[in-house]
Amino acid sequence: MQLKLAVLISGSGSNLQALINSCAEADYPAQISLVISNNENAGGLNRAKNAGIQTLVVRHTDFTKSDEFEGALTEALELAKVDLVCLAGFMRILGLTFVDHWRDRLINIHPALLPAFKGLDTHKRALEAGVRIAGCTVHYVRAEVDSGPIIAQAAVPVMSDDTEELLAERVLAQEHRLYPLAVELIARGQVQVKGGRARIVGAGKSNLMALISPQTNACQ
Ligand code: GRF
């Protein structure tokens, strides 16, 4: 049986596109049932429509309290009977009630190697800090921003002449590879959360190697 996904977006939705592409593969164990955006102008909505996926706009500005906004999200997600909620560039901080309700059924992709560089402007801060390796993380969501058990990470080198844009592009290419891999592991029942950590079980060696060793050049 395929895992039913919802993807929550606010912007261009390139990670959503990566998930759409993977779900179109014959043996991929998940399908996207619903795409929700808090922004009616999000480019990702067209990506979903082009793929024939149901879309919904829930504007946070239509609610006076964030609890009510999040309640409307939960109602739509439950109506669609989704198994897993994937945040993909969803630019709202979700409160404790929502996060607890969807505990271990709510994941996020962050453009940094957590727990380093939580929050916004990750690439700018990584360059300012002079790190040699950057990357991205897929993790279960907990109430504290950009925290929760880490499911998968991919690393990229930081070049000496990098700009924010170049680094962002290099990381984003890995995000598009990592998010579908992380969802696949969950869908195949290979991720166990225990004691604040996510453990990968029963993954084939090649699958695990792909997660921890993306095709990147040596670090400068
Ligand atoms: C990605 O960099 C993701 O890691 C972050 O927001 C960005 C969304 O990009 N959370 P896109 O909308 O998927 O293109």
Side-chain angles (χ1 to χ4, degrees):
M1 218 180 63
Q2 288 188 312
L3 198 74
K4 288 179 82 174
L5 312 177
V7 185
L8 271 53
I9 59 166
S10 299
S12 97
S14 69
N15 278 290
L16 164 66
Q17 188 66 56
L19 289 168
I20 290 173
N21 295 349
S22 291
C23 288
E25 287 167 19
D27 54 354
Y28 195 74
Q31 62 176 72
I32 304 172
S33 303
L34 178 63
V35 169
I36 303 181
S37 178
N38 63 318
N39 164 19
E40 70 256 49
N41 298 315
L45 288 170
N46 286 330
R47 297 180 190 267
K49 285 176 194 154
N50 291 340
I53 298 166
Q54 187 195 343
T55 62
L56 183 67
V57 174
V58 184
R59 288 180 209 86
H60 59 280
T61 47
D62 286 349
F63 299 85
T64 44
K65 291 185 182 153
S66 58
D67 268 4
E68 289 165 7
F69 166 63
E70 291 167 17
L73 292 180
T74 289
E75 202 175 307
L77 294 166
E78 288 190 333
L79 199 65
K81 295 189 166 47
V82 302
D83 304 307
L84 182 70
V85 181
C86 305
L87 305 179
F90 187 64
M91 302 303 284
R92 303 301 304 168
I93 293 173
L94 295 162
L96 190 59
T97 307
F98 185 90
V99 169
D100 273 356
H101 183 90
W102 293 98
R103 191 180 174 90
D104 297 342
R105 296 181 295 157
L106 175 64
I107 63 175
N108 179 45
I109 186 155
H110 182 72
L113 292 172
L114 292 174
F117 305 115
K118 295 178 177 181
L120 299 173
D121 297 325
T122 53
H123 305 306
K124 181 168 180 279
R125 289 186 289 131
L127 289 177
E128 282 168 1
V131 298
R132 296 290 190 268
I133 298 172
C136 49
T137 304
V138 178
H139 63 99
Y140 285 105
V141 175
R142 296 292 184 259
E144 192 194 321
V145 174
D146 295 326
S147 71
I150 290 169
I151 301 161
Q153 292 186 307
V156 302
V158 178
M159 306 301 185
S160 48
D161 55 353
D162 257 347
T163 61
E164 237 182 282
E165 292 70 28
L166 285 172
L167 181 57
E169 200 179 306
R170 195 174 311 123
V171 171
L172 196 61
Q174 293 304 317
E175 292 185 38
H176 297 161
R177 188 179 146 271
L178 192 69
Y179 217 173
L181 274 171
V183 168
E184 181 172 359
L185 284 173
I186 293 170
R188 296 199 190 282
Q190 293 181 261
V191 187
Q192 286 178 355
V193 185
K194 209 174 169 188
R197 289 175 59 176
R199 205 162 74 94
I200 309 294
V201 291
K205 197 176 169 200
S206 57
N207 199 0
L208 264 185
M209 286 309 289
L211 278 170
I212 61 175
S213 176
Q215 299 86 18
T216 53
N217 302 316
C219 302
Q220 288 187 329

